[in-house]
Amino acid sequence: MESEHERDNEGIPKWFNINYDDIDGHSMFQTFELKDFDGKKYYSLESTEEA
């Protein structure tokens, strides 16, 4: 499967973005990055920026 996202050795995307409009009408995006804590994988919010 081809993808623009880097993946870990299990095929899980290493990061992803969410785009949205905030309550004031600003176009925003958040970046989440794959982390590992004690063998458990989770996504952590890395940044929130105006698009």
Side-chain angles (χ1 to χ4, degrees):
M1 174 180 0
E2 288 187 33
S3 173
E4 66 183 53
H5 297 288
E6 293 179 55
R7 296 183 179 270
D8 72 356
N9 58 357
E10 296 175 1
I12 301 171
K14 291 184 177 181
W15 60 270
F16 68 89
N17 291 328
I18 294 177
N19 298 307
Y20 63 96
D21 291 332
D22 71 8
I23 195 165
D24 296 322
H26 300 107
S27 181
M28 307 290 290
F29 72 90
Q30 293 179 319
T31 300
F32 292 82
E33 191 172 308
L34 185 63
K35 304 283 185 172
D36 186 301
F37 178 76
D38 201 23
K40 301 289 182 186
K41 293 187 178 185
Y42 66 97
Y43 285 101
S44 176
L45 177 62
E46 291 298 309
S47 66
T48 300
E49 300 178 28
E50 195 167 344

